[in-house]
């Protein structure tokens, strides 16, 4: 029990014992069982891959997109270009079954993501290339010839 000091309306001090700041056992149990399960308890349920991080770099000849997606195979990816939008996606379904004399255990999971990028008009979408190596998906978006930066040159005065 705590000793709290209350100030009554007549400005005098009155010493009282009170537990009003602590919830009762029944209130505490109601609070615990009526709230959503914390993510720590639900972490065994696979809700999918989070969106992978992307680096985009512009060079003289192209835009380079790098996406960190370790643990996948190049066959897991689907790249599409439609109406000047590049979409990179993956869908993975995993199922495991372990049979024993006394039990059968099945585990399954599903993971997916999709990232879409609007391509600038300067990209030659017929020449897009993609490579996957050591967990990094690299997509090269070459620029059209007329959009490439020309190197600086000196003009002679006649």
């Amino acid at each position: 029990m705590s000793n709290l000091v209350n100030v009554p309306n007549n400005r005098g001090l009155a010493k009282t014992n009170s537990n009003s700041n602590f919830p009762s056992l029944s209130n505490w149990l109601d609070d615990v069982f009526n709230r959503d399960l914390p993510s720590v308890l639900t972490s065994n349920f696979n809700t999918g891959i989070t969106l992978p991080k992307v680096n985009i770099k512009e060079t003289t000849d192209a835009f380079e997109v790098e996406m960190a997606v370790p643990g996948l195979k190049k066959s897991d990816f689907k790249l599409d270009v439609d109406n000047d939008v590049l979409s990179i996606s993956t869908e993975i379904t995993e199922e495991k079954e372990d049979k024993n004399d006394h039990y059968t255990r099945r585990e399954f999971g599903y993971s997916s993501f999709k990232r879409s990028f609007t391509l600038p008009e300067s990209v030659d979408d017929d020449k897009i290339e993609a490579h996957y190596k050591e967990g990094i998906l690299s997509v090269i978006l070459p620029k059209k010839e007329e959009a490439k930066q020309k190197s600086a040159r000196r003009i002679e005065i006649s």
Side-chain angles (χ1 to χ4, degrees):
M1 286 197 187
S2 66
N3 291 325
L4 299 178
V5 177
N6 292 337
V7 179
N9 289 340
N10 63 2
R11 304 274 183 213
L13 293 178
K15 188 174 183 182
T16 61
N17 291 328
S18 173
N19 282 332
S20 62
N21 291 340
F22 297 102
S24 68
L25 180 61
S26 63
N27 287 346
W28 182 78
L29 288 173
D30 286 344
D31 187 43
V32 168
F33 289 109
N34 287 331
R35 72 172 65 154
D36 292 332
L37 289 175
S39 61
V40 173
L41 297 177
T42 60
S43 63
N44 288 334
F45 298 100
N46 188 355
T47 58
I49 299 173
T50 59
L51 285 179
K53 303 291 184 199
V54 174
N55 294 331
I56 300 175
K57 177 172 70 172
E58 182 178 7
T59 65
T60 306
D61 298 327
F63 294 94
E64 299 174 9
V65 178
E66 292 180 326
M67 183 179 289
V69 279
L72 300 178
K73 301 179 298 249
K74 68 180 182 179
S75 61
D76 292 334
F77 296 100
K78 181 178 172 188
L79 278 74
D80 295 309
V81 176
D82 186 24
N83 291 327
D84 294 325
V85 175
L86 170 68
S87 296
I88 303 170
S89 62
T90 184
E91 240 178 76
I92 301 167
T93 305
E94 183 180 2
E95 193 167 325
K96 257 187 349 187
E97 187 170 329
D98 183 15
K99 288 189 176 190
N100 196 330
D101 292 341
H102 304 290
Y103 66 89
T104 299
R105 183 180 75 185
R106 292 183 65 203
E107 293 183 11
F108 59 92
Y110 175 82
S111 301
S112 69
F113 74 82
K114 182 175 184 177
R115 298 277 321 246
S116 296
F117 306 92
T118 301
L119 299 176
E121 290 180 20
S122 59
V123 170
D124 187 350
D125 61 357
D126 291 328
K127 296 182 180 177
I128 295 175
E129 296 178 11
H131 311 281
Y132 182 69
K133 184 177 179 185
E134 296 179 6
I136 304 292
L137 176 66
S138 300
V139 182
I140 308 300
L141 308 167
K143 293 180 181 178
K144 295 176 182 172
E145 282 302 318
E146 61 271 14
K148 291 182 183 178
Q149 278 185 337
K150 295 181 180 177
S151 57
R153 63 182 180 98
R154 185 166 299 245
I155 299 173
E156 296 295 325
I157 302 172
S158 55

